């Protein structure tokens, strides 16, 4: 990659009139050097089945080349054209809530053979066209791919096949998933019921794991096609996103980005966050750090907001502030979504660098200001390397575990989910100015935890014996392990362990417990949602509950084990309590806290 | 029309025992002169397919005649009998949420040919019967007709045909609706997808426009049948209603009453409102003024509450107060829904003039008091003519525009819809005792805006060039134009304009803007939901935002243009701010404010 | 029944490893004597259609016998195995919301002939096995049976047949249900529409009554099979439950337990309640008293919580407190659900006597403490007989009536339902330490109301002339009758009476009314939700409304009638007002109030 990429997604096909030359001129004037195109264009390039027309693409690539603008080309497979649904009606995904209707994007069945057939033909045609342009610097495979909750007969059949390969026998399936519960045992593969009806959290979780694999396999398949065409200096990327809470909030539940990331030569991401008074920086730091961790390499911000959705109109200076925040996390690009505000359809009020009037306004001017600065100092900001003292383990199995077995199910409104806990911990460190990285909790990729002074475990609900072994070794070797509640509770199939909790770690943490609850009507000071009634064994009780009946149980326990130390936090506590505890843990682990953020 | 109509809907078929003579006697004693019958009676008159029995209708008409009571007869087509569904199962509407089940009213497919066949046969039989009774003074076609969200194959086919007639080509359709977005372009009419899946607001809006036309066409068709039978002195009406928020709140989104109104010789309406402490008068004034505006003629109140639903039990005197409020708006009737409280089914607790005990009670006595007063003074209250200094433009396209592209989409609970803004403005004038009329914003029916000292535009999101031309001319000629935010933003297909906003009116209002947002976390005093960051050009800034970053933008701008003046309000403001602005606007437009309402 | 039953549900099939011997040893050590098994085991015993394997059952019964533990065996028919759905797909219930999916329990069509066929074969096989073990002390038929909202063609056909038998003619059906409303009249049985679409509350209520009968008939049918096998000293019971509000809140709406109770030799129940700070005792008292009332005999608590769901972790001592509360109501057993916490699936966090670690913990120790006490004093606590001075009439028809015609429909969030009013009254007495029993309001089973000093009627919306006759006689004979609002309003088909309210009782209560409402915006002190505008005739007004317009109407009226007295409460009032009124009523009825509960 040469230098920072700076630019925007460009949708020639959405323009109300021809203005490509003008737009490219404005981009250049703003110091932009790259556009990202094509991911929504299938109906333009294949208007009728088997009829192809790439004249507009040629025009775009030619004009960009002329203007000295680099291009990232997306395969347009995440949104299918209408004719495909007429020809193959069941190409739309059949989901937990029934068959999808045509109109939305990202709602087809990735496992439908006809979909794959059309995809391959389109990708090959597209690659043939683009391979002749040397300003095409890379490809994006599909866009924000998810499994779209496919439950089609193709999916169900593939899932049964997946189970057959993973388990020795149906007897093992029945046992591992506890199917005897409510008489769900299956004794003949052909009796395997439609997974949509399952009330078995272990089985549902396995289906979600299967669906994550569907995404990884789909990308691997697309890459194998693209590899036949791409030049060596062209990268292959994808637009990874996050759990969406009207902005990027936590890790993406439906894609195993650590595994899927291997399909790409460089990681790409789209990252959105509140603005105006709600801009905190935490979303950019969290999301960037996660992307950096996938390959421990620099990544691309392929989409972030210029103006964004209603209510995010950036205050003067916020655009620059955000751009530098991305670069500080290790991004090698700032690409806005998108160049121009759209005049029709769903995202009309998700505004771009240009407002609907398509003339340079306040936002364009600030983007141009950034462009000038990057022209001057960009070279020294590219390929920044990051090192971290703190690693946070993240776990898809635990995320799903907390969805299937919510932490506080009786709280009717918003039970804390995995990402809430992950962000509570991450944001705690962020508030103390401690940079953290992430490590895939499966620890299957040769990670060496001993690189880190502190390893943090938020709600590691699901663990394998292998993971436990590595964590024990880390502490034995002198590491500091900090775990929250709801860790080491269930195995890889979400079966709760039938020996003392935290499973396999009671000696490491110097505690055990078999009871947990939530603060009852009268409440417990500084605690909400969930508490474990910890009993320290070799460990020292650092904090207890202020409660008439639970006062004899520990809330925080520290322990020495081997050469290392551990801290276990048994409850969801207020920010101030968490901050104090994190300070203490950092101090013990030898992590010096930066001075406070400068006051405004 | 001779004199005021005073009476109630009468459902002989719902009576627990025969008491028609007694009821007619009680009506007469209360000064009532008219009943409205028959709209729910299909299963009574055609108990089995093709078997007809009108003996009860004859009985009703005969007894009413004997008692000197006039009768309005409804065609019973809004509720179909069970046998019809057995014979033609798909006669029930197939909607966005699937096929309707039998039981509810108003859920059939108005476009199903068999439904039309049965309707026509029933209407003809009914008209044959009633045409022999001279106390039948008029007909009501159907009841509160809506399109019932039909998405049947009949509807989809008719919609495609409608598009073919409206647009030159599919290319134009793709362009006008922006179908390239998410690869929705259609290049062959036979590929046109089921509209239910659409995520394209322009296309969905067009379907809603098509559905409004279905209603108008249905009434035109019914009228053409009735015309073969009715006597010249018999009127034809319909029971128009409003957006329903558990009472009549705003204009009816699903019917173009200005267009559909042409099908009737006199406009009819049902109008309900809170009572007890919540009675404000605003609903009656708004709803009445809207009906008067359809033809600029007096209208009929065909339904309003006697006791109404649970929680509306009128305080002593409220029944009279409401009746005179209707007449003051130009109503030529007060017809209660309904005479007697029903003893079974859905509306059992929507009580009538008589409670369930069917004996005269407090409400009957107050109705009889009204009857006596009307006998004395009613002649001078009929056919009252209204004139107004203020016209409010109302726009179906804008209403739908704000549904498809909500003003404040990120507010999760209750985004302001079009009727909220319309009522906010109308009620503002009402609070100041300024009477307003309404004008269909399409301005296609030869309206002369110069009749009004002030023209008011609440959220006129969607406009045509023709409308803009007329509004410019109005101001040039000396009129005062007052517009709120979110006006002049999109064309007739809800495509946002790609030139400076407010489109085509920047010189008239003396301002422009390309940014808008909502108050962020810290808030902005007196503003909620939405604000535009206005930049005055030739105009004068009358008010700005109290906000550290937006303080340099205008909130209210006044301008002189041609011989006229304009005022533009860029934000949703508190009642007090609105009242002050309306006072100022009225003063400038030369509208004298009546004295304050007498204090209680 | 010999002595108290003390124990837990035991699910050998859910155990992660073989530990039956250990568990039975732990139970014995804790003083337990009974386990309840088998209700979820169909897929274990019939793994493939027609293949049976009861070896695990033999093992269980043999080991229990060896350990001296008695066993209650459930028929496993409430959860079907996967193969059954493959073989007979429509065996899953087709409901108001569509066809159920496989996975959940209690979602099959009880009226499907193939289901009955499989049930019968399974029950016979099971009974053959168990009949050879003398430690099997009783059978539980199915589990918490409900009709599962079956709307299958079998159900619809059976319902039409039920109507044919109940009514003389379709004319009567049309009349009784008021089907003329919205043209719903049926004039040919074959036209009878799918009940799912009905908007007629009377018809929907009749279908619910039919569905309650489906449950009673299903149990009668199972009993007839079991009777062919059981020994005379083996009881037959069922696990009745309650309206569920995340705990046992009120009477079970879907089962007529008074009628269905006749199918069993002893009543069984599962009863759950909040714990920790939220433990009140009212749920145990209410639920126990209701079960005792079914046969006026002692009953079994077949399920209650050991630890229960998340947030119910009992404080020290609460387990004992609850156990004695059950016995005080007349329970002859305390059976926990369940012995061990489950490691997979839906109820993994509904914890048992043992936590997931399967070792004795705090809860086990407290249960063992109870076991010791029961060994000492249990004999004197068995078969306790209860007598009551106060009877509360409970009515399924009224419960459904208030569902179909909610008391305060315009309150959007939580309209008061029947059980809310029932519990408001019951809990009022409970707070005053007055024990109440329940009597089925149909009074069809020869109950003698004169046994009670006070008869209480909460919201007896639906009444028959026969019921009215018996209540009149009760007052005439000197009884004290206390009724709340919303009583005597509708007949058995929920048709509102067309004569003065309260129907048939105006002279008894000395009052009438024809208007009712809710407190409007300004409110009425101490009243919420609903008020009737009572007019005292022969009665004395004890309290009126503090309201400018309603102040002349009565809120509470007392009357003398015959030898007796009556009190009528016209509004939903605050707890304090209710307590004062109940004290007054008790005093008048000669019921002495126990001293206040000891203060903590």
């Amino acid at each position: 990659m040469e230098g920072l990429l700076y630019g925007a997604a460009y949708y020639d096909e959405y323009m109300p009139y021809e203005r490509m030359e003008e737009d490219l001129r404005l981009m250049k004037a703003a110091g932009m050097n790259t556009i990202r195109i094509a991911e929504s264009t299938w109906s333009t390039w294949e208007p009728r089945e088997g009829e192809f027309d790439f004249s507009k693409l040629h025009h775009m690539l030619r004009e960009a080349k002329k203007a000295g603008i680099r291009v990232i080309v997306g395969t347009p497979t995440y949104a299918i054209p209408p004719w495909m649904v007429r020809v193959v009606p069941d190409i739309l995904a059949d989901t937990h809530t029934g068959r999808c209707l045509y109109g939305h994007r990202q709602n087809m069945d990735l496992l439908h053979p006809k979909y794959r057939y059309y995809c391959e033909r389109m990708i090959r045609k597209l690659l043939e066209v683009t391979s002749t342009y040397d300003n095409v610097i890379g490809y994006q495979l599909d866009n924000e791919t998810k499994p779209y909750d496919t439950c089609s007969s193709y999916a169900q059949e593939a899932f049964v096949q997946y189970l057959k390969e993973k388990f020795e026998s149906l007897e093992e399936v029945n046992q591992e998933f506890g199917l005897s519960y409510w008489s769900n045992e299956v004794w003949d593969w052909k009796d395997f019921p439609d997974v949509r009806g399952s009330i078995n959290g272990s089985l549902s979780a396995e289906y979600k794991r299967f669906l994550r694999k569907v995404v990884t396999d789909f990308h691997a398949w697309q890459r194998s096609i693209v590899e036949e065409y791409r030049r060596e200096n062209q990268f292959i990327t994808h637009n990874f996103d996050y759990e969406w809470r009207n902005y990027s909030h936590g890790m993406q539940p439906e894609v195993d980005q650590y595994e899927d990331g291997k399909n790409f030569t460089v990681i790409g991401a789209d990252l959105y966050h509140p603005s105006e008074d709600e801009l905190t920086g935490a979303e950019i730091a969290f999301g960037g750090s996660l992307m950096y961790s996938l390959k421990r390499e620099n990544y691309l911000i392929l989409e972030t907001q210029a103006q964004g959705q209603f209510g995010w109109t950036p205050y003067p200076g916020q655009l620059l502030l955000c751009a530098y925040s991305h670069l500080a996390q290790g991004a090698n690009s700032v690409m806005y979504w998108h160049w121009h505000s759209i005049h029709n359809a769903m995202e009309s009020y998700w505004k771009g660098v240009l407002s609907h009037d398509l003339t340079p306004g306040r936002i364009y001017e600030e983007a141009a200001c950034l462009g000038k600065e990057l022209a001057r100092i960009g070279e020294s900001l590219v390929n920044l390397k990051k090192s971290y003292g703190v690693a946070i383990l993240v776990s898809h199995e635990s995320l799903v575990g907390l969805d299937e077995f919510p932490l506080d199910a009786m709280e009717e409104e918003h039970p804390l989910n995995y990402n809430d806990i992950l962000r509570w911990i991450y944001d705690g460190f962020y508030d103390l100015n401690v940079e953290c990285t992430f490590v895939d909790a499966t620890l299957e990729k040769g990670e060496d935890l001993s690189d880190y002074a502190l390893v943090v475990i938020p709600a590691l609900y699901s663990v394998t014996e292998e993971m436990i072994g590595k964590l024990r070794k880390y502490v034995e070797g002198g590491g500091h392990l900090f775990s929250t509640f709801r860790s080491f509770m269930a195995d890889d199939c979400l079966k709760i362990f039938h020996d003392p909790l935290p499973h396999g770690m009671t000696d490491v943490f110097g505690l055990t417990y078999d009871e947990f609850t939530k603060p009852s009507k009268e409440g417990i000071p500084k605690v909400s949602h969930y508490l474990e009634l910890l009993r320290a064994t070799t460990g020292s009780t650092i904090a207890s509950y202020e409660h008439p009946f639970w006062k004899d149980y520990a809330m925080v326990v520290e322990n020495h084990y081997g050469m290392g130390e551990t801290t276990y936090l048994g409850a969801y506590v207020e920010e101030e309590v968490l901050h104090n505890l994190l300070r203490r843990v950092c101090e013990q682990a030898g992590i010096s806290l930066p001075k406070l953020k400068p006051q405004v």
Side-chain angles (χ1 to χ4, degrees), chain A:
Chain A
M1 185 91 57
E2 314 157 25
L4 291 178
L5 305 185
Y6 182 46
Y10 188 76
Y11 298 95
D12 174 40
E13 66 276 15
Y14 296 173
M15 283 293 169
Y17 57 91
E18 171 60 42
R19 45 176 281 131
M20 197 185 294
E21 214 172 326
E22 167 71 358
D23 283 325
L24 292 167
R25 190 189 64 74
L26 286 172
M27 286 179 196
K28 286 300 279 186
M32 294 182 174
N33 56 33
T34 308
I35 56 175
R36 195 174 133 263
I37 66 164
E39 93 267 12
S40 296
T41 52
W42 199 332
S43 69
T44 307
W45 296 341
E46 190 177 2
R48 290 174 208 80
E49 187 185 357
E51 289 183 27
F52 296 89
D53 176 2
F54 289 100
S55 53
K56 286 184 176 174
L57 178 62
H58 279 294
H59 179 54
M60 178 86 249
L61 294 173
R62 211 159 41 218
E63 292 297 318
K65 182 170 180 176
K66 214 186 297 174
I69 295 279
R70 293 178 284 188
V71 182
I72 304 168
V73 174
T75 62
T77 49
Y78 90 129
I80 60 177
W83 59 258
M84 200 180 289
V85 175
R86 179 179 54 79
V87 176
V88 190
D90 74 343
I91 216 160
L92 290 169
D94 191 12
T95 72
H96 275 82
T97 50
R99 171 87 61 203
C100 293
L101 288 169
Y102 182 76
H104 222 287
R105 59 181 178 178
Q106 299 174 304
N107 62 354
M108 73 293 288
D109 180 6
L110 294 187
L111 294 169
H112 199 298
K114 286 295 282 182
Y115 171 68
R116 294 294 185 103
Y117 167 79
Y118 289 128
C119 277
E120 179 166 353
R121 189 168 65 176
M122 168 49 71
I123 295 169
R124 290 187 184 278
K125 295 274 183 196
L126 171 66
L127 271 285
E128 279 161 20
V129 170
T130 59
S131 60
T132 63
Y133 290 87
D134 59 10
N135 57 329
V136 173
I137 59 171
Y139 294 101
Q140 175 189 313
L141 307 185
D142 206 67
N143 186 54
E144 302 168 3
T145 316
K146 314 277 181 322
Y148 317 134
D149 189 29
T150 177
C151 299
S152 65
S153 56
Y154 299 110
Q156 305 256 8
E157 207 175 297
F159 178 57
V160 167
Q161 189 55 36
Y162 161 97
L163 290 178
K164 280 181 181 170
E165 287 163 17
K166 178 162 182 175
F167 295 95
E168 298 277 320
S169 64
L170 265 171
E171 190 147 18
E172 193 189 341
V173 170
N174 287 330
Q175 180 61 28
E176 287 306 310
F177 297 155
L179 294 186
S180 57
Y181 181 76
W182 289 359
S183 214
N184 281 187
E185 278 172 321
V186 181
W187 292 108
D188 191 325
W189 283 108
K190 74 177 184 301
D191 289 338
F192 213 92
D194 189 321
V195 292
R196 282 176 281 197
S198 179
I199 47 72
N200 184 295
S202 294
L203 186 61
S204 298
E206 195 67 40
Y207 194 72
K208 289 175 183 169
R209 178 149 46 194
F210 161 76
L211 288 180
R212 290 196 299 276
K213 187 169 177 300
V214 165
V215 172
T216 301
D217 292 352
F218 179 71
H219 286 152
W221 172 79
Q222 282 218 5
R223 174 159 184 177
S224 72
I225 301 168
V226 171
E227 281 293 347
E228 297 183 33
Y229 301 84
R230 73 147 174 152
R231 294 189 300 274
E232 210 173 308
N233 63 348
Q234 289 178 316
F235 59 78
I236 296 182
T237 190
H238 178 68
N239 199 15
F240 278 141
D241 60 5
Y242 302 87
E243 189 196 316
W244 187 249
R245 298 258 183 114
N246 218 11
Y247 55 87
S248 307
H249 169 73
M251 63 186 281
Q252 170 54 252
E254 298 186 67
V255 181
D256 183 347
Q257 296 176 340
Y258 286 97
E259 194 60 33
D260 191 22
K262 296 175 190 164
N263 285 315
F264 312 106
T265 66
V266 60
I267 298 297
D270 57 5
L271 203 167
Y272 296 98
H273 50 81
S275 192
E276 303 191 26
D277 296 345
E278 280 87 12
L279 177 66
T280 65
E283 281 74 26
I284 293 176
F286 172 88
S289 185
L290 191 62
M291 288 303 133
Y292 191 91
S293 80
L294 296 186
K295 287 177 175 291
R296 305 239 152 262
E297 284 174 10
N298 298 91
Y299 60 94
L300 301 175
I301 286 295
L302 292 174
E303 292 187 12
T304 190
Q305 67 220 56
Q307 302 189 58
Q309 58 184 317
F310 179 68
W312 288 1
T313 306
Y315 291 150
Q318 288 192 326
L319 211 65
L320 273 83
L321 183 58
C322 293
Y324 288 115
S325 300
H326 286 298
L327 300 178
Q329 292 301 327
N332 269 349
S333 72
V334 176
M335 302 279 292
Y336 293 114
W337 200 87
H338 36 9
W339 172 247
H340 82 291
S341 303
I342 312 179
H343 301 84
N344 284 93
M346 208 158 178
E347 291 168 313
S348 296
Y349 289 101
W350 194 294
K351 292 175 68 186
V353 176
L354 301 186
S355 286
H356 293 102
D357 58 6
L358 303 178
T359 57
R362 185 175 66 90
I363 300 302
Y364 173 85
E365 298 304 338
E366 193 165 321
C369 169
L370 175 62
K372 276 196 199 74
E373 291 188 11
L374 292 181
R376 193 158 47 82
I377 59 170
E379 279 307 306
S380 42
L381 299 176
V382 74
N383 288 321
L384 297 175
K385 291 302 155 199
K386 304 282 294 184
S387 69
Y388 302 89
V390 182
I392 297 176
L393 301 199
V394 288
S395 160
H396 267 291
E397 282 65 31
S398 297
L399 182 151
V400 173
L402 265 66
D403 277 350
E404 297 293 335
F405 302 97
L407 187 75
D408 48 357
M410 278 180 54
E411 301 292 324
E412 300 194 5
E413 303 211 54
H414 298 290
L416 284 182
N417 80 358
Y418 178 81
N419 275 324
D420 290 317
I421 299 168
L422 179 58
R423 284 293 305 269
W424 170 66
I425 289 295
Y426 180 86
D427 290 13
F429 281 109
Y430 180 83
D431 291 340
L432 301 181
N433 264 333
V434 176
E435 288 200 302
C436 302
T437 188
F438 298 96
V439 171
D440 182 6
T442 57
L443 300 175
E444 283 175 355
K445 284 121 197 162
E447 298 84 349
D448 192 351
L449 292 181
S450 67
D451 293 347
Y452 302 100
L454 175 62
V455 169
V456 181
I457 294 182
L460 191 64
Y461 183 73
S462 162
V463 287
T464 62
E465 298 304 326
E466 195 188 340
M467 287 156 69
I468 290 170
K470 290 183 176 171
L471 289 167
R472 294 181 66 94
K473 210 174 131 198
Y474 169 70
V475 182
E476 278 163 10
H480 195 122
L481 186 64
F482 168 45
S483 176
T484 76
F485 51 85
R486 207 74 168 180
S487 293
F488 305 97
M489 288 191 83
D491 69 13
D492 192 50
C493 285
L494 302 190
K495 176 184 286 181
I496 300 168
F497 293 111
H498 50 73
D499 57 0
L501 298 176
H503 172 77
M505 297 291 281
T506 52
D507 52 346
V508 177
F509 289 116
L511 63 85
T512 191
Y513 70 95
D514 69 332
E515 296 182 286
F516 38 84
T517 187
K518 61 172 181 178
S520 198
K521 208 161 71 178
E522 306 292 331
I524 301 178
K526 294 170 193 159
V527 171
S528 65
H529 291 83
Y530 182 82
L531 59 145
E532 290 167 354
L533 304 179
L534 306 178
R535 302 192 306 270
T537 52
T538 60
S540 318
T541 298
I542 301 307
S544 304
Y545 299 107
E546 300 176 40
H547 184 271
F549 294 104
W550 307 142
K551 65 181 181 301
D552 297 335
Y553 294 95
M555 179 170 87
V556 181
V557 174
E558 291 178 356
N559 197 35
H560 293 272
Y561 183 80
M563 315 270 285
E565 288 176 309
T566 61
T567 307
Y568 189 100
L569 168 58
Y572 188 83
V573 296
E574 282 180 4
E575 199 176 87
E576 197 194 330
V577 178
L578 178 66
H579 284 181
N580 289 337
L581 183 60
L582 294 184
R583 276 195 203 92
R584 181 182 171 98
V585 166
C586 284
E587 195 179 329
Q588 291 170 346
I591 293 163
S592 62
L593 295 182
K595 294 277 184 288
L596 283 176
K597 285 183 278 187
Q599 300 296 316
V600 186

